[in-house]
Amino acid sequence: MLRSVVTVAKVTLVFLNIWVLAVVLVVSLGHWRVFESEAPDVSYDNSHLIVMRELKDTDKRMVSTLEKRNFQSFCILIFSKTIQQAPQEVKNPTQQPIVAATTKSPPAAAASHGLTAADGRVANLKQWCKQQHPHKVPYEKVPSSKLTSILVDEKHKLLFCQIPGVALNDWRKIVLILSGVVNASSTGAISGGDVFGKYAKNTKRLSDFDEKKRVEFLKNFYKVVFVRDPLERLVNAYRTKLLAKSSKYFHKAFGSQMIKKYRKNAKDKEIKDGSDVRFPEFVKYIIDNEHDGVTSLNEHWEQYYKQCHPCLVDYDFVGTYEDVERDTDQVLAKVNGKKLFKPPYVWDTKPLPQKDLLKVFGEVSAQELNNLYKVYAADYTLFGYECPEFMHTLLKKGNIVHDY
């Protein structure tokens, strides 16, 4: 009888020890929320975890609530983690967005978590800036030269960073209407020529204000920036500024020197006109200009981070050209400006087809294409864009290992 009691006690003790061990492991790994957090519910995918591990990031993160697992699932998870010696390889890990979801436009937090796509892009941007610039520069120390691209609407407390090639004409019209300079309900009522001619002097830039005002606006105004896929924007700039017959200034200022420097046996007339720059010549010019670092790239093909300085300015909203109408509507709603407009807000909303991009970039050697991507890699990472599919296709075809 005594022996049976001892046996039962031993068996009970063994199961009790197993139960205690399981509880300790579950709590330590975060599968049982002992303390509830009020942090926003943001989901991250595996690429985020791998990127953060490689960067040795120790900052506090917003983490998603993990569902409770049953004991069997938990044991399988622990076993798989124990035998796994290295993280699963991720294609171009440094280019994976921090916030989960994969779409044609920049990824963002899942809608099921109550966050908009713009919220996800802002979170992505802030996380990368935190990693690269842990010591934030106070607004009082930001020089006015870094704020020349930011337009100001004092009436609606809006700051908008303008980037050429990203619905800029329409957004300058929006700012003119919001600020009361133009009495119109449609951006289509204002001509493109008037935006940069008749009303140019009415457009206020943040750099025009004194330091006290700049700091006040940066702290209290709603700060907005719109972006698009960087390499797609590059093709748009090439077509509208270097190929268009009306772009005489760009032909003289840039086209002539590109042809003279990169075209073998260029004719005098070709150099003088500067109107038929070939895309590979344009790409070589950008790569060499960026490598030399003597002069800045023209704003129509300069990187976003060099124009809007997203790690100096804490943007509240990051919109995209891919969803420009929807994102513009959200901004106007936020600043109580929707009642002033009749949609559409933006008239040119068609991104270039992938087949067109594949054809244009197919004219560039694989090695130079890889170097070109590196010029814009920071923009891809900061604003959550994936490396384009046509890039992978062309580099693979050219036997170039994409290493950045």
Side-chain angles (χ1 to χ4, degrees):
M1 180 66 178
L2 181 60
R3 183 177 300 177
S4 299
V5 172
V6 172
T7 301
V8 172
K10 287 182 177 181
V11 172
T12 302
L13 184 59
V14 169
F15 279 102
L16 181 61
N17 287 336
I18 293 175
W19 183 84
V20 171
L21 177 61
V23 170
V24 171
L25 290 174
V26 171
V27 172
S28 64
L29 290 174
H31 287 249
W32 186 357
R33 297 292 296 276
V34 178
F35 302 102
E36 289 297 327
S37 170
E38 296 181 357
D41 187 16
V42 180
S43 63
Y44 295 107
D45 60 7
N46 291 334
S47 63
H48 163 76
L49 299 177
I50 293 172
V51 168
M52 290 303 98
R53 181 160 58 247
E54 291 185 348
L55 294 177
K56 299 180 180 178
D57 187 11
T58 58
D59 295 331
K60 184 179 180 180
R61 304 257 180 273
M62 295 182 293
V63 295
S64 61
T65 302
L66 298 176
E67 296 180 356
K68 294 181 180 180
R69 312 289 176 89
N70 59 40
F71 186 72
Q72 180 180 8
S73 299
F74 171 74
C75 291
I76 294 174
L77 176 64
I78 296 301
F79 179 73
S80 64
K81 284 182 176 291
T82 302
I83 63 173
Q84 186 177 2
Q85 298 299 319
Q88 184 179 359
E89 182 181 355
V90 174
K91 192 175 185 180
N92 303 324
T94 58
Q95 295 308 312
Q96 295 295 331
I98 289 181
V99 184
T102 302
T103 61
K104 292 183 179 180
S105 57
S112 61
H113 294 285
L115 299 178
T116 67
D119 291 330
R121 291 188 290 269
V122 170
N124 181 78
L125 179 60
K126 288 184 177 180
Q127 188 58 65
W128 279 107
C129 286
K130 177 72 173 178
Q131 177 63 40
Q132 298 300 317
H133 300 278
H135 304 292
K136 185 75 170 63
V137 177
Y139 284 144
E140 290 80 2
K141 300 295 183 181
V142 178
S144 61
S145 61
K146 302 292 185 181
L147 307 173
T148 58
S149 294
I150 299 179
L151 306 183
V152 181
D153 169 27
E154 294 181 81
K155 189 175 182 180
H156 293 82
K157 296 185 176 182
L158 171 69
L159 298 182
F160 175 81
C161 188
Q162 57 177 2
I163 297 176
V166 190
L168 175 56
N169 284 4
D170 286 314
W171 253 101
R172 284 182 68 109
K173 296 175 184 179
I174 289 172
V175 173
L176 287 171
I177 295 173
L178 285 174
S179 59
V181 174
V182 178
N183 183 18
S185 60
S186 171
T187 55
I190 308 173
S191 70
D194 285 347
V195 170
F196 296 96
K198 181 179 179 180
Y199 300 115
K201 61 182 180 181
N202 299 109
T203 303
K204 299 179 181 179
R205 296 173 183 260
L206 187 55
S207 56
D208 296 334
F209 295 84
D210 60 35
E211 180 184 311
K212 183 178 179 181
K213 281 289 187 180
R214 294 199 304 269
V215 173
E216 176 189 343
F217 294 168
L218 285 168
K219 288 182 177 179
N220 301 312
F221 283 19
Y222 194 62
K223 298 172 286 294
V224 175
V225 60
F226 272 70
V227 294
R228 73 191 292 182
D229 183 283
L231 291 183
E232 184 206 355
R233 170 180 174 256
L234 191 65
V235 174
N236 179 73
Y238 167 71
R239 290 178 173 178
T240 59
K241 302 305 175 186
L242 295 174
L243 288 189
K245 295 181 179 180
S246 59
S247 297
K248 300 299 182 182
Y249 166 77
F250 284 89
H251 297 162
K252 298 295 183 182
F254 300 99
S256 293
Q257 59 176 299
M258 291 178 190
I259 294 173
K260 182 178 180 180
K261 185 174 182 179
Y262 298 108
R263 187 174 302 178
K264 294 182 178 180
N265 303 319
K267 299 177 181 179
D268 292 339
K269 186 178 185 303
E270 292 175 330
I271 297 174
K272 182 179 179 180
D273 291 343
S275 59
D276 68 335
V277 175
R278 297 163 188 166
F279 191 69
E281 295 169 342
F282 179 46
V283 169
K284 290 179 181 179
Y285 169 81
I286 291 175
I287 294 173
D288 288 349
N289 191 284
E290 186 71 5
H291 180 268
D292 296 339
V294 177
T295 59
S296 299
L297 294 173
N298 179 266
E299 61 181 359
H300 288 83
W301 45 83
E302 185 178 38
Q303 301 94 323
Y304 302 148
Y305 77 91
K306 291 184 178 181
Q307 298 189 58
C308 294
H309 306 283
C311 292
L312 293 177
V313 177
D314 294 322
Y315 288 97
D316 302 295
F317 189 95
V318 178
T320 68
Y321 182 78
E322 290 80 3
D323 290 306
V324 66
E325 191 71 10
R326 181 197 65 186
D327 289 348
T328 298
D329 187 80
Q330 290 184 30
V331 172
L332 293 176
K334 182 68 178 181
V335 300
N336 298 317
K338 281 187 65 173
K339 60 182 179 294
L340 299 175
F341 295 88
K342 293 180 180 178
Y345 311 113
V346 178
W347 295 85
D348 182 11
T349 60
K350 295 181 180 179
L352 299 177
Q354 286 293 305
K355 63 178 182 179
D356 285 7
L357 297 175
L358 185 64
K359 181 179 180 180
V360 173
F361 284 101
E363 300 173 3
V364 181
S365 70
Q367 185 60 59
E368 288 182 342
L369 189 58
N370 195 35
N371 290 335
L372 178 67
Y373 180 80
K374 293 179 181 180
V375 173
Y376 296 97
D379 283 344
Y380 273 97
T381 299
L382 287 169
F383 295 101
Y385 282 96
E386 293 183 351
C387 179
E389 188 60 35
F390 72 80
M391 175 71 70
H392 293 298
T393 300
L394 293 173
L395 292 181
K396 183 178 180 180
K397 184 178 179 181
N399 295 317
I400 295 293
V401 177
H402 193 189
D403 61 347
Y404 194 68

